Amino acid sequence: MDRMPGKHIIPKILALIMAAVLWIYVMNEQNPPIETSFQVPLEIRSLSTTLAAMDVPDEVKIKVRGSRSLIYGLRPQDVKAYLDLKNATEGKYTAQVSATLPNGLELLEITPDTVTITLDPISSKKLPVEIRFTGSLPTGMVVGKVTADTDLVTIQGPRSLINAVDRLIATVDVDGQTTDFTASVPVTPLNKESKKQEGVLLNPSNVTVNMNLVQNVTKKTV
C-alpha cells in the first residue's frame, strides 16, 4: 500500500506543464497568430434624432491579430467600427473611433483613431415647385394649362444643406405628345449654382402634373 500519496504530485504537475507547453508549441506551429487589416464602414451610434453628422469618413482601417484559422475565417462584416455620439452637441466634434471584434481577435490599430465631424441640427422648409418641360411637341401643338397635385414641397435635412437649396424643379417630358396627359415626375432640389443639392429629403418626392395640349391657331389679317 502506498503510504505517501503526495509523492507523485510533482511528476504529475511537471507532466501537465510539459503537455501544456507542447500543446502551445503545436498550436503555434500549426495555427500561428497572424495579422491582417480591413477597410470597415464607419457607423454612427446613439446620435440624437435632432442632429445630423456631416463630414464623416466612409471607412476606417482596422488592423487585428489572431490565429491563422480565425483570421482566414473572418469576413469584413464581422469587424465593426463606430462613433458613439450619445452626448454630442451641435458644432464641431472630435470623436474616438471604437471597434467590436469577434472573440479571439486582438485589436492592433485603427486608422484614423479619431475623426472631427460637424453636427448639424435637422431643419425643414417648404418651397414651391417649378414645372419645366423637355422634348419637342409635334408641329402645331403647344402647352396649354398646366396643374400639379401640390404647390409646395417640404425639404428636410441638415440645416446647412437645407439653406443651400435655392429652388425645386419638376421636369416633364413632352416629346411627341399629341393629347392631354398626366405624368408623375421627381422633384429635384437645386442650389444657387443650379446643381442638384444632395443630402436632403423631399416630401413628396414626386408630383403629379396634368398637361393640357392645344392646337396653335395662327391668325392672319387680310
Side-chain angles (χ1 to χ4, degrees):
M1 182 177 178
D2 190 351
R3 299 181 181 275
M4 300 178 62
K7 69 178 182 179
H8 299 303
I9 290 180
I10 294 178
K12 289 180 179 178
I13 292 175
L14 291 174
L16 287 173
I17 293 173
M18 291 298 296
V21 170
L22 181 61
W23 182 84
I24 293 172
Y25 172 79
V26 171
M27 289 301 295
N28 284 338
E29 286 296 313
Q30 301 300 321
N31 195 23
I34 59 174
E35 299 176 3
T36 190
S37 297
F38 291 99
Q39 290 294 132
V40 179
L42 184 56
E43 303 175 4
I44 299 295
R45 296 184 182 179
S46 305
L47 180 63
S48 168
T49 56
T50 63
L51 295 173
M54 314 284 290
D55 308 319
V56 180
D58 293 330
E59 295 180 325
V60 295
K61 182 180 179 181
I62 293 185
K63 187 176 182 180
V64 297
R65 178 191 290 124
S67 64
R68 182 169 59 186
S69 61
L70 182 58
I71 293 293
Y72 284 173
L74 202 60
R75 301 168 300 172
Q77 58 266 36
D78 293 332
V79 179
K80 304 291 185 183
Y82 65 93
L83 302 178
D84 186 353
L85 302 180
K86 183 177 181 180
N87 298 315
T89 56
E90 176 185 349
K92 291 287 185 181
Y93 189 84
T94 299
Q96 184 78 33
V97 180
S98 301
T100 57
L101 308 173
N103 291 334
L105 281 186
E106 176 189 358
L107 177 63
L108 298 179
E109 186 178 50
I110 302 177
T111 307
D113 59 350
T114 61
V115 294
T116 299
I117 60 178
T118 301
L119 298 178
D120 209 358
I122 298 294
S123 181
S124 67
K125 68 178 180 180
K126 292 185 177 182
L127 287 178
V129 180
E130 175 187 342
I131 306 299
R132 295 183 178 180
F133 311 115
T134 186
S136 301
L137 289 170
T139 303
M141 300 296 295
V142 295
V143 175
K145 185 178 180 180
V146 178
T147 59
D149 63 345
T150 184
D151 296 324
L152 296 174
V153 167
T154 300
I155 319 167
Q156 186 177 31
R159 184 171 60 191
S160 58
L161 300 185
I162 292 295
N163 292 339
V165 177
D166 184 58
R167 61 193 183 278
L168 304 177
I169 64 166
T171 303
V172 181
D173 186 0
V174 299
D175 195 55
Q177 297 287 349
T178 57
T179 61
D180 297 351
F181 68 96
T182 298
S184 178
V185 293
V187 179
T188 302
L190 299 180
N191 57 29
K192 289 181 174 59
E193 289 74 39
S194 296
K195 296 180 180 180
K196 183 178 179 181
Q197 180 60 54
E198 303 290 349
V200 297
L201 298 176
L202 304 181
N203 185 28
S205 58
N206 283 46
V207 294
T208 300
V209 181
N210 298 306
M211 301 290 299
N212 172 239
L213 304 182
V214 296
Q215 290 283 344
N216 185 19
V217 178
T218 302
K219 293 184 178 180
K220 182 179 181 181
T221 301
V222 178

